[in-house]
Amino acid sequence: MSDDSDGEVPDLVPADIKKVPITIITGFLGAGKTTLLNYVLTEQHGKKIAVILNEFGEGDSVEKSMSIGQEGALYEEWLELRNGCLCCSVKDNGVKAIENLMSKKGKFDYILLETTGLADPGPIASIFWLDEELCSDIYLDGIVVMVDAKYCKKHLHEAKEDGSINEAQRQIALADVIIINKTDLVSPDELESLQQEIRSVNSFARLHQTTQAKVDLNFILDINAYGGHGPTSMEDLFGQRGFSTSDVHTIDKSVTTTTVDLDGDMDRSRLDDFLQRLLWDKNLTDPNNSVMEVLRLKGVVAVMGEERRMIIQAVHELYDVQYTTPWNDEQRKSTVVFIGRNLDRSSLQKSLEACIVSR
Ligand SMILES: Nc1nc2c(ncn2[C@@H]2O[C@H](COP(=O)(O)OP(=O)(O)OP(=O)(O)O)[C@@H](O)[C@H]2O)c(=O)[nH]1
Ligand SMILES: [Zn+2]
């Protein structure tokens, strides 16, 4: 990655208890997830990567991971590859299953998890993300979404009968990295127009284009999108910020990205109240009285009386804050990014303004 990496402090945890990053690979049916994983498994990258296929996170994953017996899972079709990688499919789910796998097979350097094409990555991501607090050996590094250059547009526009947000939009909303695969099947114009549509849903994810999923592994591994590993830089958090597509709506009634920037310090408890109303109570509405639905939220906040930057992360209704690098002489200001549906920028701005206590 770029210039921000020099701000990263070396890992102070002894090597033997170093946490293992997990990247969730999701994407629509047939987009090229397995192609990507096979590519990873055959590339020489010097890492011992465990690739875990499918069947994970079926059904209500959060519920399941809570209720699953602690005995872990069934592993199928073990495959050890020459480059030290390991491939398997974990039935059942839960972090425990993967930890058991590690205790039997030795520690991996990295875990890639392919979810089924129709899975909402939210609940699966939450398992790893929240488990961090439970002192897991694993931390969520990021969510990579494979997109089919030819069919993605169609999937983005499919209306669900119950009016809920469709899977393609959910996946793109939660992506930290989006790989537009199968670029050989579309014209440059089609590709450009798809890219714009994707940007209008999620303006922060990093975009890459591939054929046969051949992507530089540095684009998908160790991106630290959730700040589970050392201080999170602005680049880690906001990826390709600068695409100000916040008010471009290419898909009617669809998921969009909205950003609010504010100067001054916020009161932590007012901010918590706001987040809880937005994410938990879901009683904030847009001017048409439609409830604002947030799929993903992230922000850097200047909190009154706090030297360090506060990072907020939310996936659906779960949110978490952590404190990172100090502001020092920089201007204290906050940026909050919302990805979701019916997001009304001016009312979000107003609610956040109301949390400001001093400028
Ligand atoms: N034309 C073209 N075909 C590709 C490309 N990448 C993958 N494919 C083909 O697309 C098909 C689906 O790829 P997979 O990697 O199995 O897709 P997947 O996302 O794992 O599919 P599911 O697990 O079924 O959801 C396969 O036949 C691949 O060979 C590409 O860049 N161009
Ligand atoms: Zn697959």
Side-chain angles (χ1 to χ4, degrees):
M1 271 200 321
S2 73
D3 17 277
D4 280 16
S5 50
D6 56 7
E8 218 177 271
V9 292
D11 207 353
L12 296 175
V13 234
D16 54 326
I17 56 160
K18 215 171 133 190
K19 290 184 169 206
V20 181
I22 183 162
T23 291
I24 295 173
I25 314 261
T26 185
F28 230 75
L29 298 167
K33 301 177 293 294
T34 304
T35 308
L36 173 69
L37 294 173
N38 286 333
Y39 170 69
V40 171
L41 288 172
T42 51
E43 273 292 278
Q44 288 305 322
H45 40 59
K47 280 187 157 76
K48 187 173 177 193
I49 299 179
V51 164
I52 299 173
L53 300 174
N54 279 323
E55 306 190 86
F56 191 98
E58 294 282 89
D60 191 341
S61 355
V62 174
E63 285 290 298
K64 237 169 140 188
S65 80
M66 302 297 171
S67 62
I68 254 181
Q70 295 298 294
E71 285 320 296
L74 301 165
Y75 312 117
E76 292 192 334
E77 300 172 48
W78 280 103
L79 215 67
E80 294 205 43
L81 294 122
R82 259 175 302 173
N83 65 358
C85 290
L86 205 61
C87 183
C88 72
S89 107
V90 174
K91 282 216 173 148
D92 272 343
N93 62 40
V95 176
K96 209 71 211 155
I98 293 175
E99 288 179 343
N100 287 350
L101 189 66
M102 291 203 286
S103 67
K104 283 187 192 126
K105 282 283 165 183
K107 206 130 192 181
F108 317 122
D109 300 319
Y110 215 99
I111 300 168
L112 293 176
L113 177 76
E114 174 185 343
T115 69
T116 61
L118 289 173
D120 177 347
I124 302 166
S126 323
I127 293 174
F128 297 104
W129 179 35
L130 294 186
D131 202 65
E132 197 187 306
E133 284 159 23
L134 310 172
C135 290
S136 166
D137 291 342
I138 302 165
Y139 72 88
L140 177 61
D141 186 61
I143 301 178
V144 173
V145 174
M146 291 295 289
V147 153
D148 184 318
K150 194 166 169 68
Y151 293 111
C152 179
K153 227 174 174 169
K154 181 167 159 267
H155 296 314
L156 281 172
H157 287 262
E158 267 157 18
K160 304 271 283 184
E161 259 168 39
D162 61 357
S164 60
I165 300 168
N166 70 36
E167 286 80 8
Q169 292 191 23
R170 278 177 195 280
Q171 292 177 347
I172 286 173
L174 289 194
D176 300 299
V177 176
I178 296 168
I179 301 176
I180 305 180
N181 188 41
K182 305 196 187 184
T183 54
D184 55 310
L185 300 180
V186 293
S187 71
D189 283 354
E190 284 173 290
L191 195 56
E192 178 54 34
S193 127
L194 171 62
Q195 194 152 309
Q196 271 181 20
E197 202 149 288
I198 290 173
R199 281 257 160 266
S200 81
V201 173
N202 182 337
S203 9
F204 289 87
R206 283 157 251 222
L207 287 187
H208 302 286
Q209 302 176 354
T210 55
T211 51
Q212 302 299 333
K214 289 196 173 58
V215 67
D216 183 339
L217 296 186
N218 291 321
F219 292 156
I220 61 168
L221 306 183
D222 291 316
I223 56 174
N224 196 30
Y226 282 79
H229 189 64
T232 318
S233 71
M234 294 299 271
E235 197 205 340
D236 288 340
L237 200 65
F238 293 134
Q240 300 183 344
R241 185 164 192 204
F243 290 83
S244 63
T245 50
S246 43
D247 294 314
V248 181
H249 293 252
T250 15
I251 315 170
D252 201 34
K253 285 299 270 175
S254 101
V255 174
T256 54
T257 303
T258 295
T259 306
V260 176
D261 289 294
L262 305 133
D263 290 331
D265 284 3
M266 284 201 205
D267 177 69
R268 173 69 203 274
S269 70
R270 282 193 218 168
L271 179 61
D272 276 332
D273 283 348
F274 161 70
L275 291 171
Q276 288 165 17
R277 271 187 298 138
L278 179 69
L279 303 172
W280 298 359
D281 307 335
K282 298 185 181 37
N283 60 13
L284 298 181
T285 54
D286 73 358
N288 302 321
N289 252 336
S290 306
V291 172
M292 298 200 229
E293 291 175 65
V294 175
L295 298 174
R296 181 85 169 96
L297 176 154
K298 42 192 172 175
V300 176
V301 175
V303 174
M304 187 68 183
E306 174 57 56
E307 298 285 298
R308 295 163 298 169
R309 290 175 168 80
M310 187 175 91
I311 306 273
I312 317 172
Q313 294 272 5
V315 173
H316 297 193
E317 52 277 299
L318 299 167
Y319 80 93
D320 186 37
V321 302
Q322 60 197 111
Y323 290 97
T324 59
T325 49
W327 290 97
N328 294 330
D329 294 337
E330 279 172 73
Q331 193 204 342
R332 296 173 65 99
K333 57 188 171 65
S334 304
T335 301
V336 184
V337 175
F338 305 84
I339 303 179
R341 190 161 70 164
N342 308 324
L343 301 179
D344 179 50
R345 192 168 170 285
S346 73
S347 91
L348 291 169
Q349 171 106 29
K350 262 191 220 126
S351 302
L352 283 171
E353 296 274 4
C355 303
I356 299 279
V357 279
S358 79
R359 288 194 196 271

